[in-house]
Amino acid sequence: METHFLVLSLAFFVFIALKLLYGKRKSKFNLPPSPARPLPFIGHLHLLKMPLHRTLLSLSQSLGDAPIFSLRPGNRLMVIVSSYAIAEECFTKNDIVLANRPEFIVRKHIEYNSTTMTSAPYGDHWRNLRRICTLEIFSSHKLNGFLSVRHDETRHLLLRLSKNSQHGFAKVEMRNLLFELTINNIFRMIAGKRFYGEGTEQDEVASQVRDLLDEIMASAGAGNAADYLPILGWITNFEKRIKKLASRLDKFLQSLVDEKRADKEKGNTMIDHLLSLQETQPDYYTDVIIKGIIVVMIFAGSETIAWTLEWAMLNLLNHQEILEKARTEIDTKVGFDRLIDESDTTNLPYLQRIVLETLRLYPVAPTLDPHMTSEDCMLAGYDVPRGTMLLVNIWAMHRDPSIWEDPEMFKPERFEDEKEKQKLLAFGVGRRACPGIGLANRLVTLALGSMVQCFEWERVGEEYVESREEPMTLMRPETPLLAMCKARPIVHKVVVG
Ligand code: HEM
């Protein structure tokens, strides 16, 4: 009798629990449609397969090309937008409401409890961080001041490429070289010194930091199950692992700050300026704030440019006629006696169009950086409650056949019509849009133009280079790019000679 009672009570308890979790609850909100009913406990978590932007496109197609839909992975509500009209609604009418960021485990630990520019909630602290970084890095005045750094680092890249390729084609691994170009640019801007690759003193520390960056970038964004079901963080040790990475990274960043602090001669770098602000306002400009600014510059500013360049080169290898056209433009406008200069790039429209086409088909942040609502709001007539995570699938929008002609084709010519540029969202729009766009455009165009001007390029094999991306939330080629390059005479004349 007692056993019966126990079984019945247990069954009743399970029934109530399932009803609460899985039963059809009438929400007070009119949410965007959802592709499937959420499963108990995990909700739609099982649907979030990588690469996320491809999965999200398929889910929207499963709802008849829904321009907006919702998912409930674990304990969060997520709204996904993949139409220009709704994206515009997000970043005009609702821009302030959507200017927050969701909390993620990686950000909590790596970005000092989400206090950095990329992760801080919209408000005075975030505004102040953006103001400081504009003064120190992003303003045209500052960017012009760092012109020699960009030229010098591009020259380093050309020297590295020319190492074995002066008398014939040599195989080169591009990812590492492009990373060296971008991380050294960023480092020289913030700390006044080169950091990574040939000719640096701390090769071992640098390659450890590089591995660390790789690991953290792979875990960045909206794709970690542990962010939706905290229990998974404990079971898989994810949070513990991230904490360890964060502590290694923090040690490195602290050493950078301490090194500058100990330097008797005050320099003119961003860290020097932040340390002098610390002297007058120690309560605000703590070491944590300074390290947070450095970490953001390194994370947001290095791999993004390097991967964009890798995608651009991959496409030039697959489209020799486009490469040829770009080279002819440079030879005609710049000639054979000097290297391309940043000021030349305004006069090289075809080169610029190659960069735009790369950003269209291969935006390195294909769903932007996730946003979060700070209040209830409406999108496309649906309710979006406070605390909802918003992903904007710009990768899908950049390939929408109703908006772009031959959307899957790499065709820089499409940007002959200047208006087409307005449809590019690779840097986001609105208050949280990328502040590094000026630097990114300058460095990508200069470095790409220089590589085209100075070398002949071929694929390693006959077959096209695979242009699939790695299964993660950010977007880089699945396999590090290998290419064959051969120095053109200009390299002997003005780079090596
Ligand atoms: C090709 C290169 C780059 C691309 C495609 C890119 C793209 C993006 C995107 C899509 C966002 C998120 C926008 C949003 O959530 O609405 C973003 C944010 C950001 N980017 Fe970039 N970025 C690039 C280079 C850079 C560089 C060079 C820097 C700095 C040195 C930088 C710094 C930042 C920062 C700090 C944010 C966060 C802004 C905030 O939350 O207020 N980015 N970027």
Side-chain angles (χ1 to χ4, degrees), residues 101 117-118 126 130 296 300-301 304 308 369 371 426-427 432 434-435:
R101 301 278 191 212
M117 195 203 314
T118 38
W126 168 81
R130 267 189 90 120
V296 161
T304 43
T308 303
D369 202 356
H371 289 237
F427 294 96
R432 294 301 292 236
C434 178

Side-chain angles (χ1 to χ4, degrees), residues 51 54 311 314 362 465-470 476-479:
R54 285 189 188 270
W311 283 117
L314 186 154
Y362 309 95
V465 187
E466 181 57 69
S467 66
R468 256 197 110 74
E469 62 274 23
E470 217 171 299
R476 72 169 175 196
E478 189 163 34
T479 333

Side-chain angles (χ1 to χ4, degrees), residues 172-192:
V172 280
E173 201 268 284
M174 299 299 295
R175 186 168 292 173
N176 213 30
L177 295 179
L178 296 174
F179 177 73
E180 189 176 322
L181 166 82
T182 55
I183 193 85
N184 283 329
N185 252 286
I186 297 288
F187 251 83
R188 285 175 73 173
M189 289 195 293
I190 58 180

